[in-house]
Amino acid sequence: MTSEVIIDVREKEISIALLEDKELVEYQTEPKTASFSVGNVYVAKVKKIMPGLNASFVDVGYERDAFLHYLDLGMQFSSYEKYIKQVESDRKTLYPFSKAMRLPDLPKEGSVASSLTVGHDVLVQVVKEPISTKGPRLTGELSFAGRYLVLMPFGNKVNVSSKIKHGAERARLKQMVQKITPPNFGVIVRTVAEGLRQEELESEMQVLLKRWEDTLRKVQQTTTRPQLVFEETSRAVALLRDLFNPTYENIYVNDETVFNEVRDYVQLIAPERVGIVKLYTGKVPIFDNFNVTKQLKSGFGRTVNYSHGAYLIIEHTEAMHVVDVNSGNRARGVNGQEANALDVNLGAADELARQLRLRDMGGIIIVDFIDMNVAEDRQLLYERMCKNMQKDRARHNILPLSKFGLMQITRQRVRPAMNVKVEETCPTCFGKGTIKSSILFTDILEHKVEHLSRNVGIKRFTLYVHPFVAAYINKGIWSLKRRWQMKYGFGISIVASQELAFLEYRFKDHQGSEIDMTEEQDKD
């Protein structure tokens, strides 16, 4: 299996697609202005104590207060609190962490009212992003994740990933990491560290220690509360940190700044593979070029088609996700209804496993498969689903089919499920139901091209239109495009974009910045 990562950087958002054998399996997108990310560390202020919930609500700068349960404060909360006071007491010299005093652990049966008060400053980390009407979820047990190691201040153990099964290798890694771990730290050795040398682990340990020291210096130098004191790496780098493996053939990026970030990161963790990071400079939108746009439009939405006419209906609710499996117009197999039901269900299991990763669906997922009477077939379906989910990095649990033919799945949820809107609003009438004559559309475009060229003075720009419209404009030797270039200048480029609706258009200057050419009546 080969994997490729496609990173699409736009003015307002960044999107990342992971392809396995050219098939889209993971997709993430977020605004460039997004300030909340799992892993961010804040010095926050307690706003409200809720004894009935044994929890508190904490102000981290989000419109809704974040949730911090007593059990999430961490066993070493008292040690953190004392050390942070020592750091804040001296704005010039940083109190050495190696000399930090370990205080007794918080009792498991304690209450939040005995540990926190309103107005209390706490050092916390985001473990779950805001979802629906809920604010972020916080923890007081900080961790700094790298490619091979996870560093935990005030930890006291070195643990090795349970996915490393070989006993001798587990013992070797544990002994090696214990040698390089400074006092007052705990470490988790990640699965991808298997087989590494001490020098490689020690190099990453120094990077993680510097992140912790930089966090402390920001706590020391700032007095504003709440205050972001550690920000997770960029979305592109964070995804690569968790996903990167030697099977990657290419990582394509269409933005030079992000390209440099990604290349520097790959240079750090795998210098021999830095050549796979490539800057995409083509005129065609990067997602169109790698067939991501088409897969996005077919893979999201309420109805998802898969093999031979069968399809899934996926509904999202506040409490859970519900999936219904339908055979559609699929012809009945020669072996009868039972064999046909098994075939449809096995195909649904393959597609559903991909959809869970693609949409990042979390929480409770209920799947209504087609009824099967043979116990062996139900067991085969359960085993197929478990096998398909082995590729999923998120923690999950799958139960066998119930007597009602339902499969229950729980999957780790740390951010809202990805929901890409695939229906297109008419860009010309904006839902009014009437538009100007389509045959006049190219006349409207020419008017805008003339306005840009002669009135605004922009001579070099690109016009993005639907592929059908682009084909019409480029048709023939003496095409519309050629006539426009002869009339208004050869700096005009026409590019087909699959994400645009039929009569939608977009202008960009030679630097890639969008030019707003929407007519006043369109904005009403």
Side-chain angles (χ1 to χ4, degrees):
M1 181 183 68
T2 58
S3 302
E4 290 181 312
V5 175
I6 316 298
I7 303 175
D8 182 17
V9 183
R10 305 186 192 182
E11 268 188 88
K12 297 182 180 179
E13 65 182 14
I14 178 169
S15 302
I16 302 172
L18 172 63
L19 305 180
E20 291 180 355
D21 293 332
K22 304 298 181 182
E23 184 177 51
L24 180 65
V25 293
E26 289 198 27
Y27 175 73
Q28 294 287 344
T29 185
E30 69 176 23
K32 283 187 174 180
T33 56
S35 58
F36 280 85
S37 178
V38 172
N40 285 1
V41 178
Y42 293 83
V43 181
K45 191 172 287 292
V46 177
K47 292 292 291 293
K48 188 185 295 184
I49 303 294
M50 304 293 288
L53 298 175
N54 202 17
S56 63
F57 286 98
V58 180
D59 179 15
V60 289
Y62 187 62
E63 58 182 326
R64 291 184 179 273
D65 290 336
F67 184 79
L68 177 63
H69 195 274
Y70 172 78
L71 295 177
D72 292 327
L73 286 174
M75 305 296 286
Q76 293 296 327
F77 175 75
S78 301
S79 302
Y80 269 110
E81 190 177 31
K82 180 175 178 62
Y83 179 66
I84 293 303
K85 286 180 179 177
Q86 291 173 320
V87 168
E88 292 176 328
S89 65
D90 189 343
R91 299 292 178 184
K92 294 182 179 179
T93 305
L94 187 64
Y95 189 81
F97 186 67
S98 58
K99 296 182 180 180
M101 184 182 299
R102 282 180 176 272
L103 298 180
D105 293 353
L106 282 186
K108 291 184 178 180
E109 304 300 324
S111 67
V112 70
S114 62
S115 302
L116 298 176
T117 56
V118 174
H120 202 123
D121 287 349
V122 287
L123 190 65
V124 289
Q125 188 169 36
V126 178
V127 293
K128 184 181 288 188
E129 290 184 6
I131 296 176
S132 185
T133 58
K134 302 173 183 175
R137 179 81 182 249
L138 306 176
T139 180
E141 294 184 288
L142 306 190
S143 61
F144 297 84
R147 170 75 177 143
Y148 309 117
L149 305 173
V150 179
L151 184 70
M152 297 177 296
F154 285 115
N156 56 6
K157 291 182 181 179
V158 172
N159 295 315
V160 180
S161 168
S162 59
K163 292 183 180 179
I164 299 178
K165 303 297 183 183
H166 198 276
E169 176 63 8
R170 291 175 61 84
R172 183 187 76 88
L173 286 170
K174 186 169 185 176
Q175 185 177 20
M176 198 161 54
V177 173
Q178 283 175 335
K179 289 180 182 178
I180 63 174
T181 303
N184 276 340
F185 285 102
V187 176
I188 297 174
V189 183
R190 306 183 76 174
T191 309
V192 289
E194 189 170 6
L196 292 182
R197 303 188 309 273
Q198 180 171 325
E199 293 78 11
E200 295 170 292
L201 297 177
E202 195 166 7
S203 175
E204 183 166 272
M205 176 71 76
Q206 295 306 313
V207 173
L208 299 178
L209 286 170
K210 186 176 186 308
R211 288 183 188 173
W212 169 236
E213 185 175 325
D214 290 344
T215 300
L216 293 176
R217 291 200 181 280
K218 199 156 185 182
V219 173
Q220 179 189 40
Q221 295 164 7
T222 59
T223 56
T224 307
R225 301 293 183 260
Q227 176 68 49
L228 174 66
V229 292
F230 171 75
E231 189 168 13
E232 256 292 5
T233 51
S234 69
R235 195 81 197 97
V237 173
L239 183 74
L240 284 178
R241 183 193 67 201
D242 295 334
L243 289 183
F244 186 84
N245 64 68
T247 67
Y248 278 10
E249 284 194 341
N250 298 293
I251 300 172
Y252 292 100
V253 191
N254 66 344
D255 179 84
E256 192 166 359
T257 303
V258 177
F259 164 75
N260 290 328
E261 287 178 5
V262 173
R263 187 180 58 180
D264 291 346
Y265 181 72
V266 175
Q267 176 76 46
L268 178 67
I269 65 170
E272 73 284 356
R273 301 288 289 159
V274 72
I276 68 175
V277 185
K278 299 171 183 176
L279 180 63
Y280 177 80
T281 56
K283 285 281 187 181
V284 177
I286 188 170
F287 273 6
D288 289 9
N289 187 69
F290 293 99
N291 199 34
V292 174
T293 304
K294 187 175 181 180
Q295 293 192 60
L296 282 174
K297 289 182 179 285
S298 63
F300 284 87
R302 182 173 178 268
T303 303
V304 178
N305 296 300
Y306 62 101
S307 58
H308 306 297
Y311 60 94
L312 304 178
I313 300 290
I314 302 177
E315 297 278 7
H316 305 279
T317 73
E318 182 73 17
M320 65 182 70
H321 307 281
V322 183
V323 182
D324 185 34
V325 179
N326 293 277
S327 58
N329 58 7
R330 179 189 176 95
R332 180 173 295 185
V334 295
N335 296 323
Q337 175 62 29
E338 184 69 21
N340 187 60
L342 176 62
D343 195 28
V344 171
N345 285 340
L346 291 178
D350 296 340
E351 180 61 28
L352 179 60
R354 184 177 82 99
Q355 287 291 327
L356 294 181
R357 292 176 66 190
L358 182 59
R359 302 183 187 221
D360 202 9
M361 292 161 60
I364 301 172
I365 301 106
I366 305 295
V367 190
D368 181 13
F369 285 102
I370 296 174
D371 290 339
M372 296 184 294
N373 297 320
V374 181
E376 289 80 0
D377 290 349
R378 294 195 293 270
Q379 180 63 23
L380 184 63
L381 175 60
Y382 171 68
E383 292 172 359
R384 178 74 158 261
M385 194 71 210
C386 291
K387 181 180 178 182
N388 290 338
M389 292 292 287
Q390 287 176 358
K391 300 176 186 177
D392 199 330
R393 294 175 297 113
R395 292 194 302 271
H396 58 269
N397 189 26
I398 307 172
L399 297 182
L401 289 172
S402 71
K403 63 180 180 180
F404 298 120
L406 303 177
M407 179 178 286
Q408 301 170 68
I409 302 172
T410 60
R411 187 176 181 272
Q412 180 186 19
R413 178 168 71 170
V414 295
R415 60 178 58 87
M418 186 63 56
N419 188 21
V420 176
K421 187 178 180 182
V422 295
E423 294 82 8
E424 296 174 349
T425 301
C426 174
T428 308
C429 76
F430 294 94
K432 297 175 184 176
T434 57
I435 62 172
K436 296 177 182 178
S437 177
S438 299
I439 198 67
L440 301 178
F441 182 57
T442 52
D443 294 341
I444 295 171
L445 291 179
E446 182 175 359
H447 172 72
K448 294 179 184 296
V449 167
E450 180 183 15
H451 178 71
L452 272 180
S453 178
R454 293 181 175 171
N455 298 344
V456 182
I458 299 177
K459 300 293 185 182
R460 292 174 56 202
F461 56 85
T462 302
L463 170 59
Y464 291 85
V465 289
H466 188 277
F468 291 174
V469 178
Y472 179 77
I473 294 175
N474 291 316
K475 178 184 176 183
I477 298 175
W478 191 242
S479 63
L480 271 176
K481 173 186 173 183
R482 178 63 62 184
R483 278 183 270 169
W484 290 354
Q485 288 178 332
M486 295 291 291
K487 198 171 180 181
Y488 307 113
F490 284 89
I492 302 170
S493 298
I494 307 296
V495 177
S497 176
Q498 296 177 9
E499 70 172 332
L500 297 180
F502 183 53
L503 297 182
E504 193 174 4
Y505 57 88
R506 189 173 295 153
F507 285 89
K508 290 188 179 181
D509 62 23
H510 69 283
Q511 295 178 331
S513 299
E514 190 162 339
I515 307 169
D516 185 5
M517 293 296 293
T518 308
E519 296 179 10
E520 287 300 319
Q521 57 264 39
D522 290 345
K523 295 180 179 179
D524 293 340

